[in-house]
Amino acid sequence: MRNFPITLPMKAASTLINAWKECTITRELEETKREGIRAFRDVNVKSIEESSAILKLYLERTFQERAVVIRKMFDHLDKGLADGNMQLASDAMTAIVSVLKHSPLAEARKIISDIRDPNVKMIEI
Amino acid sequence: MVPLLWIGAALLGVGGLAAAIDAKDTFSAAKRIGERARRKHENVLSELESLRSEVNSDLENLGKLKISIFKNQIAHLVNVIRKYAPSRSVLKNFQVSISTEEFRKMEQLVLGAFEIEKGLASGVSTGALAAVGAYGSVGMLATASTGTAISGLSGVAATNATLAWFGGGSLAAGGFGMTGGAFALAGVVLGPALAITGFMMSSKADKALTEACEYESDVDIKVAKLDQTKVVLNSLREYTGEMTSALIHLAERFDAIKVSDDRNRNSFEKMVVVGKSLKGLLDIPIMSGDGTPTEGIKSKISGYIEV
């Protein structure tokens, strides 16, 4: 026992202390990384959800407006056909075709692109 | 000195054991987070797939309707015009004119509609209906009437629309690879864990937990984008429904006023006017071939009628 080299327990203790230190540092480092990841996630998810909400609202309103216009144009068409007023009927049908020709999704796509673009200061809807 | 060192080492050893036990819980937590995120991603993808099927089904129904209108209403119009107004100048006295070229195209599209229907009966044009619904009549039906193999016409409209919305590819389900989910937990745990101290195990567990959080974060962002795609697909359904409804209503008007000859010029004119507008509606594409939306809504419709 007397000849037991003192370096052995010291070396063992040193190894354990180093492992403990490394473990503590890693834990703190990883926790910081996780906080960063969550923050990045929260910002991105919020941004996408907000743009989705705008997109949904825009499309809902647009389709509602279009439905009203189309319904009224069909009323005009029926009146034109019943009265023999072909100009009215023709104009009503031109309007129906014109409204349907334009996809609300195309404009919505631009709005979303503008929302994502930091250089765009104002979005016209 | 030596006993003190032994005592210190022993205490740290106990701490290492405690860390090993703690690491096991952390590994379990990481695994739970990864699996939960993977399930969430899979569920949203599955919902999106169902929605895409519904969109395709709507587009197929619109395609069927368009073919039916070409075969019935437009074919009737073409036949009556051919029979009673064969000269290219005959129609110019009406408020609406149909040029020889337009008339020739109408004939061609009617032929195309019959070709597609023939193809459907023999099963070779499956998938073409959604394309007819989505891309307007001109491209698809004109192609069919020229004898192009109908089987080559694709009906992936809804898929194209979703891909185009994000510039292509971002919908890919395999985007996360194996970064998450199981993320090779077994490899992290087995091997080194058996040989190293509890402290090292704890470090590995912390890293695994971070990986799981990173995966979960990627999934959450991806799911938010997929939810936005759902909004787009639902709008595509809405637009398809709008077009379907307008076509049905206008075809009904056509049927109500159609005539079989030109004895009554006013009635003949009415039919031509409504028929031409019906054809105009049939030509409108819901989307471009690559899935991008067609023209924007900011159109000038003023000057027609006040609503």
Side-chain angles (χ1 to χ4, degrees):
Chain A
M1 195 64 188
R2 284 188 118 175
N3 294 330
F4 188 85
I6 195 158
T7 51
L8 263 183
M10 285 184 78
K11 200 176 171 186
S14 170
T15 305
L16 276 172
I17 288 166
N18 283 339
W20 170 74
K21 269 188 188 168
E22 198 181 315
C23 170
T24 309
I25 291 168
T26 302
R27 178 163 290 177
E28 283 171 7
L29 197 69
E30 294 300 319
E31 185 50 46
T32 307
K33 275 191 202 170
R34 289 196 289 271
E35 279 171 16
I37 289 166
R38 287 187 198 110
F40 175 81
R41 186 260 322 264
D42 291 347
V43 167
N44 276 279
V45 167
K46 189 167 181 272
S47 162
I48 297 165
E49 283 178 349
E50 280 172 358
S51 65
S52 294
I54 293 171
L55 178 70
K56 197 174 173 199
L57 185 69
Y58 170 79
L59 288 166
E60 277 173 4
R61 294 275 167 86
T62 302
F63 278 113
Q64 279 168 9
E65 282 177 17
R66 285 160 66 97
V68 171
V69 172
I70 293 169
R71 197 182 62 243
K72 288 194 173 173
M73 287 303 120
F74 269 106
D75 290 345
H76 286 299
L77 169 62
D78 289 338
K79 188 172 183 337
L81 291 175
D83 297 349
N85 183 347
M86 289 316 291
Q87 189 58 52
L88 180 63
S90 180
D91 287 349
M93 284 184 288
T94 307
I96 291 167
V97 172
S98 182
V99 169
L100 283 162
K101 205 181 221 172
H102 296 91
S103 166
L105 284 166
E107 194 57 30
R109 191 178 158 96
K110 191 180 173 309
I111 287 170
I112 291 301
S113 153
D114 286 350
I115 290 171
R116 289 175 185 157
D117 184 354
N119 298 316
V120 175
K121 304 292 176 207
M122 192 179 77
I123 298 169
E124 187 191 340
I125 298 179
Chain B
M1 180 71 180
V2 173
L4 278 177
L5 280 171
W6 278 111
I7 290 164
L11 283 173
L12 279 170
V14 172
L17 276 175
I21 294 164
D22 196 38
K24 187 174 171 287
D25 292 342
T26 307
F27 274 128
S28 298
K31 193 177 177 186
R32 275 197 307 276
I33 289 171
E35 285 176 351
R36 189 179 59 211
R38 182 178 49 78
R39 278 196 303 276
K40 184 177 179 181
H41 186 222
E42 283 173 359
N43 287 342
V44 175
L45 279 177
S46 163
E47 286 169 19
L48 197 73
E49 198 45 50
S50 302
L51 188 54
R52 282 201 293 181
S53 294
E54 287 168 12
V55 173
N56 264 333
S57 172
D58 288 352
L59 288 171
E60 279 177 17
N61 288 334
L62 178 58
K64 272 183 207 164
L65 176 67
K66 283 184 173 182
I67 287 171
S68 162
I69 292 175
F70 267 108
K71 278 179 52 213
N72 296 292
Q73 285 80 10
I74 303 299
H76 177 84
L77 181 70
V78 165
N79 286 335
V80 176
I81 291 177
R82 193 190 291 129
K83 200 168 172 185
Y84 294 96
S87 160
R88 66 182 63 186
S89 62
V90 170
L91 290 170
K92 75 179 180 185
N93 292 326
F94 290 101
Q95 286 183 25
V96 62
S97 64
I98 294 179
S99 69
T100 311
E101 180 61 15
E102 277 180 295
F103 183 70
R104 194 190 59 74
K105 279 185 184 162
M106 277 166 75
E107 284 181 309
Q108 193 186 30
L109 295 178
V110 170
L111 279 176
F114 278 100
E115 282 296 319
I116 293 247
E117 195 183 51
K118 237 186 336 185
L120 287 173
S122 58
V124 295
S125 61
T126 310
L129 279 178
V132 172
Y135 307 140
S137 58
V138 179
M140 289 298 299
L141 296 181
T143 307
S145 68
T146 55
T148 303
I150 298 169
S151 54
L153 303 174
S154 168
V156 292
T159 304
N160 284 351
T162 48
L163 292 179
W165 186 256
F166 289 113
S170 66
L171 189 66
F176 297 123
M178 278 303 289
T179 310
F183 49 86
L185 256 186
V188 175
V189 180
L190 296 175
L194 296 173
I196 60 175
T197 66
F199 290 128
M200 289 176 82
M201 237 177 112
S202 175
S203 294
K204 296 278 182 193
D206 262 317
K207 286 179 181 170
L209 188 60
T210 305
E211 262 190 71
C213 283
E214 201 165 10
Y215 173 65
E216 187 184 38
S217 164
D218 283 348
V219 166
D220 285 345
I221 292 170
K222 192 76 166 178
V223 164
K225 286 182 177 173
L226 292 172
D227 282 340
Q228 192 173 85
T229 310
K230 283 190 206 164
V231 174
V232 174
L233 285 178
N234 277 320
S235 297
L236 201 53
R237 289 195 78 187
E238 187 98 18
Y239 189 22
T240 307
E242 201 180 52
M243 187 69 76
T244 302
S245 167
L247 278 170
I248 290 171
H249 286 129
L250 204 53
E252 282 170 1
R253 265 65 171 186
F254 182 90
D255 287 340
I257 51 104
K258 72 178 179 187
V259 292
S260 300
D261 53 51
D262 66 344
R263 275 178 297 181
N264 183 329
R265 301 298 287 181
N266 283 337
S267 300
F268 186 76
E269 181 187 4
K270 264 190 198 174
M271 181 181 70
V272 173
V273 169
V274 177
K276 193 177 174 184
S277 293
L278 189 54
K279 163 69 173 46
L281 272 189
L282 288 164
D283 290 348
I284 296 173
I286 296 282
M287 66 176 81
S288 312
D290 62 358
T292 51
T294 47
E295 295 170 75
I297 195 172
K298 283 182 182 170
S299 59
K300 299 283 181 199
I301 58 166
S302 58
Y304 297 136
I305 303 166
E306 198 179 326
V307 289

